[in-house]
Amino acid sequence: MRQEMFDADANAKEGMYEAEQELGLRGWLSEGSYTAVFADTSVFTVLREWPSPSPVFKCQPTAVTLQLHAAGPASIPLTAVAAHLSYASPTLRAVEAELLTTFHDKKVRVLDGQSVRKSAMVIGLDANSYPHRLAPGESPLPHLDQIEDEPHRAHRSRPVPGSSRAMDTHLHDTFRTAGLTDLAQHAAHLGESEAVHPSIPASDTHGPANRIDWLCASTTLLPALRDIEVIDMQNLSDHNMVLARFDHQRLAELLTVDAQGTHQGVMA
């Protein structure tokens, strides 16, 4: 899942096709060339693409539903979503996050041609906001007075009853409530404190280093998570890369369903 794919649609999507070649993956580009999803079609079959759920998005998300070959043609599909939420408006971010949770409620006909399954989901996003609860080893949230850029104080905070303003953590709680777990925090609670390293460095604009880039997934998928790595992208990007690794066989087991539609992963 990639964000800020600006101009990848120029010259008949020349930049997008170059990215596909470099990655060795098939890609899907959002409306307006804002975000993209890439997948290995030797591992996944593409079931369908989804349009943006609303024109209110400042940057349109990309959403593609896939089916893992190893899980079989009747297995639970997986919807992959790339999103980049509003930089400047906590109010718009809240609406965008709520709309993104609709991708966690999609049902599609799978490859056996008969079954309609509710999809699992994984989303990678630049949230431009903060976790609502901190995991072991995670950097504390900044205070408003640590952000020197005054407009940015408004961009990253929201009014709170009984207080002037608090850092914006609303989105993170929205995803949790919708059944989407922050994979880095899940790994940190299992002892992998490196998983919650900051995704952006300290700066005069943003304040202290913090974690505003998240990978979140359906709780169904959590037993297959192996680890999370935060890769320093210095000189290549102003954000670090967040990489999640899943066990292929375990993931296939979790997505497999029996003839009656019983989800095998629930009993694992």
Side-chain angles (χ1 to χ4, degrees), residues 12 38 47-48 71 90 112 125 194 219 242:
F38 294 86
L47 297 182
R48 65 163 297 168
D112 69 353
L125 73 160
E194 297 84 358
T219 54
V242 184

Side-chain angles (χ1 to χ4, degrees), residues 29 37 44 54 64 73 86 122-123 135 147 155 159-160 171 184 205 253:
L29 186 65
V37 169
F44 294 98
S54 172
V64 182
S86 172
V122 59
I123 180 171
I147 299 175
H155 298 166
V160 176
L171 283 64
T205 303
E253 292 171 353

Side-chain angles (χ1 to χ4, degrees), residues 170-193:
H170 178 74
L171 283 64
H172 199 264
D173 183 61
T174 295
F175 288 131
R176 180 193 62 82
T177 303
L180 295 165
T181 298
D182 182 329
L183 294 180
Q185 289 197 340
H186 178 72
H189 283 295
L190 296 177
E192 190 182 337
S193 60

